[in-house]
Amino acid sequence: PNARDIWAAMAQAPGFHMTGYDVGGSHTGTQTGFITYGLSQQRTTRIEGINTTEGASANAGYFDFGSFEEFQLGAAGNMADQDVPGASLNITVKSGGDRFSGMWYSDWQGDRTPLGVKLIGDNVPDVFRVTRQRDEDGFFRAGTPLRRGNQIDRQYDLNGHIGGPIKKGRAWFFYSYRLNDQYKYILGFDDLAQSKLTNPYTVKATYQLSRGNQLIGYVNKREKLQALRELGANVPLSASWFQASRNYPMKLEWT
């Protein structure tokens, strides 16, 4: 069980020390830093064999989690195809088969629902809501009063895929879609900050040319919208970033 996020899965793997922990998708829109045996840089991410590493440490985009067949995490002692000393992440995407099959996943959490039921908690003790108040241990709470404990106002994840034959025994397809959208409050501000991650399509086609030859085509469109990035106590609204990014990992492979 995890937050349907690569970095949340890393938190469960041996040899990975995370700089933060995703709770129910709380890190949506931001990659979580991590250290493996003292190294926080020089790592590699590959999806379907394509190197999608950004710089020396990050991944160039966010993932369609539902499209994964499997993924492998390597903290140390990696194979010879790992060209740097840091961690490795290797992702394989699902393929279509001779039977049509599919899956739909969705979740939603938020302060407000049509029935008036709150699906998230906000457990700020009263002593933290007012400055200069003494807590139960006799200490005074100083600094900015807290209005919220849980930053998330609402968040949802829509993810579905389908695969099957184009021609049985010869050609197959796979298609997946994901939208992961979050709205949260920033401490000291009344504005809601959005982190919207979209994979409009993940497409993989397989064609068996002959008994010993196979063609695989793959393309994935990945988009991110984060209109108030870095907004916080030391970064005012006027200085926050507007991030809108898009990339297309793709390949044509002949085996």
Side-chain angles (χ1 to χ4, degrees):
N2 62 53
R4 306 189 82 245
D5 178 271
I6 285 290
W7 297 275
M10 283 180 181
Q12 303 177 36
F16 288 83
H17 177 75
M18 311 304 293
T19 59
Y21 291 93
D22 191 305
V23 180
S26 59
H27 280 209
T28 292
T30 304
Q31 299 183 34
T32 305
F34 61 92
I35 299 171
T36 53
Y37 296 97
L39 288 172
S40 60
Q41 300 282 324
Q42 300 190 64
R43 46 190 183 236
T44 303
T45 301
R46 289 186 177 88
I47 183 165
E48 280 292 305
I50 307 159
N51 191 331
T52 60
T53 312
E54 181 181 272
S57 60
N59 178 70
Y62 291 80
F63 300 99
D64 180 349
F65 198 86
S67 72
F68 295 171
E69 178 70 28
E70 64 177 43
F71 60 90
Q72 302 163 333
L73 298 170
N78 292 303
M79 302 296 286
D81 58 352
Q82 174 75 347
D83 52 359
V84 291
S88 69
L89 170 61
N90 187 39
I91 300 166
T92 305
V93 172
K94 294 175 181 177
S95 302
D98 275 343
R99 274 193 323 178
F100 286 101
S101 62
M103 184 199 78
W104 179 260
Y105 173 91
S106 57
D107 65 46
W108 192 93
Q109 62 175 323
D111 257 348
R112 299 176 297 276
T113 66
L115 300 177
V117 179
K118 295 182 67 169
L119 295 178
I120 58 175
D122 187 22
N123 56 339
V124 180
D126 291 339
V127 68
F128 288 96
R129 295 183 182 275
V130 183
T131 190
R132 300 299 301 168
Q133 293 296 305
R134 190 190 299 268
D135 66 16
E136 60 186 10
D137 296 317
F139 293 97
F140 281 95
R141 163 67 188 167
T144 305
L146 297 179
R147 287 179 288 177
R148 297 181 60 87
N150 191 337
Q151 290 180 287
I152 298 174
D153 176 71
R154 63 190 185 275
Q155 178 173 328
Y156 57 92
D157 187 357
L158 309 175
N159 199 180
H161 67 250
I162 187 171
I166 299 172
K167 183 178 181 181
K168 287 189 175 182
R170 179 69 70 174
W172 307 270
F173 79 95
F174 173 80
Y175 167 81
S176 183
Y177 168 87
R178 187 184 190 191
L179 169 61
N180 193 8
D181 202 3
Q182 180 194 80
Y183 296 82
K184 68 179 181 181
Y185 291 97
I186 306 300
L187 183 63
F189 292 86
D190 293 323
D191 301 87
L192 279 172
Q194 182 186 20
S195 293
K196 182 180 181 182
L197 308 177
T198 315
N199 286 256
Y201 55 79
T202 300
V203 178
K204 186 176 180 181
T206 309
Y207 182 62
Q208 196 70 34
L209 289 167
S210 64
R211 188 171 182 177
N213 292 271
Q214 187 181 72
L215 283 177
I216 300 175
Y218 165 81
V219 61
N220 174 211
K221 182 178 181 180
R222 310 196 289 186
E223 298 177 319
K224 176 180 179 179
L225 175 64
Q226 200 169 39
L228 299 175
R229 182 165 181 170
E230 303 296 331
L231 177 65
N234 299 317
V235 180
L237 190 63
S238 59
S240 61
W241 306 354
F242 182 91
Q243 181 184 5
S245 59
R246 177 182 299 144
N247 60 69
Y248 299 86
M250 63 181 72
K251 74 171 184 181
L252 181 61
E253 177 183 339
W254 174 24
T255 303

